[in-house]
Amino acid sequence: MPARRRTANTPSTSKDAGESPMSPQADDPAYQLKRKKNNEAVQRTREKTKKTAEERKKRIDGLRRENDQLKVQIEQGEKHIATLRDLIIHGEKTEDGHRIIEEILAGPEPNDDND
């Protein structure tokens, strides 16, 4: 948070202008109420900002996990494509080749990493 600027009316020797014995506002109930409301508003804003940051972090973490899962799916798809390409290029019509093709076409096996 940036440092607060001193104004021309703020005495440079006092620690806090609101509590200075020279300040007529320190005893003013309207001023005290205004300060209290402002402090409450600042606190609410800080809490909201913190909550928003936490929600954003959770969303980012979820998207990273999803991205990792998608990368794994892409790698599996690329391996399947390479395997099918090799089978086609070599023209092998073996029982093992047919089994591999059926496994690839059947789709991915369920795994426990999705949740």
Side-chain angles (χ1 to χ4, degrees):
M1 184 182 312
R4 296 169 87 177
R5 294 184 185 182
R6 292 187 184 265
T7 61
N9 295 337
T10 304
S12 60
T13 57
S14 71
K15 292 180 183 175
D16 187 7
E19 294 184 16
S20 171
M22 306 281 277
S23 175
Q25 294 178 342
D27 295 329
D28 183 11
Y31 174 77
Q32 290 176 350
L33 180 63
K34 183 178 178 181
R35 292 299 314 140
K36 181 181 177 188
K37 287 183 177 182
N38 180 262
N39 289 341
E40 291 169 354
V42 167
Q43 187 63 32
R44 283 191 307 270
T45 300
R46 288 178 182 158
E47 289 172 2
K48 182 179 177 183
T49 301
K50 184 177 178 181
K51 182 180 176 184
T52 303
E54 290 171 357
E55 290 172 354
R56 187 178 304 120
K57 184 182 181 317
K58 286 180 184 178
R59 176 149 168 73
I60 288 170
D61 290 343
L63 290 172
R64 283 188 176 143
R65 280 192 302 273
E66 182 182 354
N67 195 29
D68 290 341
Q69 291 173 352
L70 291 172
K71 285 179 181 179
V72 168
Q73 289 178 2
I74 289 170
E75 288 176 17
Q76 289 174 345
E78 289 172 346
K79 287 178 184 177
H80 290 161
I81 290 170
T83 302
L84 292 171
R85 184 178 294 129
D86 287 344
L87 289 172
I88 292 170
I89 289 173
H90 294 103
E92 297 178 14
K93 294 185 177 181
T94 63
E95 191 64 34
D96 193 38
H98 289 297
R99 183 188 54 78
I100 292 172
I101 292 171
E102 289 299 320
E103 286 177 7
I104 291 173
L105 294 177
E109 295 179 8
N111 60 27
D112 296 331
D113 294 343
N114 287 345
D115 283 317

